[in-house]
Amino acid sequence: MPIIAVIGAQWGDEGKGKVVDLLAEKAQVVVRFSGGDNAGHTIVNHHGEFGLHLVPSGIFYPGVNCIIGNGVAINPAVLLDEIDQLQGNGVDTSGLFISDRAHLIMPYHTLLDGLEEQSRGGKAIGTTRKGIGPAFADKTARLGIRIGELLDEEAFLERLRPILEYKNTILNKIYGATPLSLDEVYQQYCRYGERLVPLIRETTVMLAEALDRNEIIILEGAQGTLLDPDFGTYPYTTSSSPLAGGGCVGAGLGPTRIDRVLGIFKSYCTRVGGGPMPTELKDETGDLIRERAHEYGTTTGRPRRCGWFDGVAARYSSRVNGLTNVALTRLDVLDTLPQIKICTGYKLDGQTIDHFPGSITTLAKCKPVYEELPGWQSPTSDIRDYEKLPAQAKQYITRLEGLISCPVSIISVGARREQTIHKTPIL
Ligand code: IMP
């Protein structure tokens, strides 16, 4: 039975939540493997509309085990809020588990994220200010605290004491901020622990057992490939890997176990925060897309930068993830446009290039080379059968498949579960 990794293939916000929610119907396990509550996965189903930040999108199916993997950084206050909201809406959360190795976002992480951004001035990354960068920096610097450490309160205090002292020095001496109280942070996290400790497991064992039972496991990505610290537009990136490879590390599975890598692409591009975006439209078409698709961040409410589909970035994303299938979302957003452009190359210093540069200075100089296709100018939201799509829409999809070198299996034409066209089977 397959393990399928569901990966954001652009700059995040591609609609992974909806796709995972759809696929989870056939799965037994869904694992979030990277990021933290910087992610916002919007899901609309019979329970209502939810903006999930940490809980895997499979939670709406009773019997599906939802794991927050070791690769996630958890803000316990956000997680508990999310659990309360789900339960308040009648969603059974008894299948939710957390890896003992997942790192905690501490109050100094969120404080430092804001202070660091402020100090960058005009060069701010535009982070979500959820403490993600500082938490993953601490993980790598071996200064992080893992959720499993809440199992032993005394040991947790001994670990927290010197770390907090060090963080307070930075907060106070560098940024002039008020130091945090050891007792308050300790008590607060012990209280979180009282509710979260029962959910903590050695989740790699759970996954191994699920594999032994031949179950379907979905690795749920967060953010997108172009925000990866290695392969994204560094330093305008996030701080953990949203790639399929990150899925192995962030869940605790070997790469040989993954059978399918499903890349989620919007039918156009969006980006939140700073950093280059070659196909950005700073005109009325960009505004039209933003308003029609309500392109505002689920986590921060910030307006998203909108632009045409970037075929160069898409091909690159397909390559570094090893995509086997594509889900194309929000096709309906393009329904009214008379003409649709696709970027097929970049013009750089008089030459046309077809690869995505590693340097943002170079990328910022790239001008998109466009191919123009006719729009279909008719509604697609009620279509469920690929053959019933307008000819121009099929032409657009076929051209994208050619550029990405990967078949489109799912087409999403609206936020609701049923507003989906299954072109070729994945599971
Ligand atoms: P951070 O992950 O909060 O540190 O933010 C770093 C960059 O990633 C910023 O440009 C954010 O806007 C972007 N980012 C982080 N999470 C998401 C997401 O879920 N969707 C889109 N962009 C994101």
Side-chain angles (χ1 to χ4, degrees):
M1 277 295 171
I3 296 190
I4 173 164
V6 179
I7 301 301
Q10 295 160 317
W11 277 286
D13 308 316
E14 298 92 349
K16 295 175 287 291
K18 169 176 168 173
V19 175
V20 172
D21 179 56
L22 265 177
L23 297 176
E25 190 177 12
K26 293 189 184 154
Q28 285 75 42
V29 185
V30 179
V31 192
R32 249 298 289 277
F33 65 77
S34 69
D37 63 301
N38 49 349
H41 293 169
T42 309
I43 294 168
V44 185
N45 59 29
H46 64 278
H47 289 285
E49 180 169 340
F50 298 86
L52 297 183
H53 300 284
L54 284 164
V55 174
S57 307
I59 198 70
F60 300 100
Y61 294 99
V64 171
N65 279 336
C66 287
I67 294 177
I68 300 179
N70 54 280
V72 178
I74 298 173
N75 182 328
V78 174
L79 178 58
L80 287 169
D81 245 20
E82 210 163 299
I83 294 171
D84 289 342
Q85 275 184 35
L86 285 164
Q87 289 176 348
N89 281 284
V91 180
D92 174 10
T93 61
S94 60
L96 179 66
F97 300 99
I98 308 169
S99 163
D100 55 351
R101 295 177 169 87
H103 278 247
L104 285 168
I105 293 193
M106 304 297 291
Y108 43 82
H109 291 139
T110 29
L111 279 174
L112 285 167
D113 199 357
L115 292 165
E116 287 169 6
E117 274 290 86
Q118 236 172 315
S119 74
R120 290 184 190 113
K123 293 219 158 44
I125 291 166
T127 75
T128 57
R129 301 192 178 214
K130 302 291 178 187
I132 303 299
F136 282 105
D138 275 359
K139 174 177 177 175
T140 309
R142 294 156 294 191
L143 283 173
I145 300 179
R146 308 205 288 188
I147 198 161
E149 296 184 58
L150 297 179
L151 293 165
D152 180 339
E153 291 185 355
E154 257 177 59
F156 168 56
L157 179 61
E158 286 325 300
R159 176 113 177 106
L160 177 64
R161 193 191 308 277
I163 293 175
L164 190 67
E165 202 179 304
Y166 172 62
K167 295 293 172 184
N168 273 338
T169 309
I170 296 173
L171 281 169
N172 190 244
K173 300 274 189 265
I174 296 185
Y175 295 105
T178 314
L180 294 163
S181 143
L182 174 67
D183 191 50
E184 276 174 29
V185 175
Y186 172 67
Q187 297 296 342
Q188 187 184 31
Y189 275 68
C190 287
R191 280 198 300 277
Y192 294 144
E194 282 163 21
R195 286 192 61 196
L196 292 176
V197 158
L199 313 186
I200 297 175
R201 295 283 185 288
E202 163 44 294
T203 50
T204 62
V205 172
M206 290 178 73
L207 292 180
E209 288 170 356
L211 282 170
D212 287 344
R213 288 192 297 268
N214 231 5
E215 294 180 349
I216 296 179
I217 299 173
I218 296 176
L219 301 183
E220 177 177 11
Q223 287 82 44
T225 300
L226 304 172
L227 291 173
D228 181 79
D230 285 284
F231 295 102
T233 49
Y234 190 83
Y236 293 91
T237 58
T238 191
S239 302
S240 64
S241 176
L243 303 185
C248 298
V249 181
L253 285 165
T256 49
R257 294 297 205 165
I258 298 185
D259 304 83
R260 298 256 181 284
V261 182
L262 174 65
I264 319 294
F265 290 89
K266 256 182 213 172
S267 303
Y268 46 93
C269 274
T270 63
R271 168 162 209 174
V272 221
M277 175 185 174
T279 62
E280 181 172 10
L281 289 167
K282 293 180 179 162
D283 60 8
E284 65 274 20
T285 309
D287 295 343
L288 189 143
I289 292 175
R290 183 177 311 104
E291 294 316 313
R292 192 168 152 74
H294 195 72
E295 290 291 359
Y296 293 88
T298 314
T299 303
T300 58
R302 290 179 291 176
R304 295 179 183 142
R305 301 155 65 189
C306 299
W308 296 119
F309 190 91
D310 187 335
V312 180
R315 197 165 38 233
Y316 166 74
S317 178
S318 176
R319 179 158 54 81
V320 296
N321 281 301
L323 297 188
T324 60
N325 303 75
V326 165
L328 193 65
T329 62
R330 300 201 149 202
L331 185 73
D332 55 299
V333 169
L334 305 181
D335 282 353
T336 59
L337 298 175
Q339 302 288 333
I340 300 171
K341 291 186 185 177
I342 306 175
C343 168
T344 55
Y346 296 150
K347 262 271 185 282
L348 176 69
D349 301 329
Q351 308 270 324
T352 302
I353 60 165
D354 65 356
H355 69 271
F356 193 78
S359 134
I360 51 160
T361 322
T362 310
L363 186 63
K365 282 197 253 164
C366 289
K367 298 275 172 278
V369 177
Y370 286 122
E371 198 173 286
E372 201 163 299
L373 265 62
W376 44 95
Q377 294 190 279
S378 64
T380 55
S381 288
D382 293 328
I383 297 176
R384 303 288 175 263
D385 176 0
Y386 181 72
E387 289 313 320
K388 299 216 167 103
L389 279 173
Q392 297 88 333
K394 286 192 277 191
Q395 187 190 356
Y396 183 66
I397 294 165
T398 306
R399 184 65 185 117
L400 298 191
E401 284 179 321
L403 284 167
I404 308 170
S405 300
C406 191
V408 170
S409 297
I410 293 175
I411 299 152
S412 171
V413 288
R416 296 198 313 274
R417 253 183 208 169
E418 62 276 15
Q419 291 181 300
T420 307
I421 297 169
H422 295 275
K423 185 165 174 271
T424 55
I426 299 176
L427 289 173

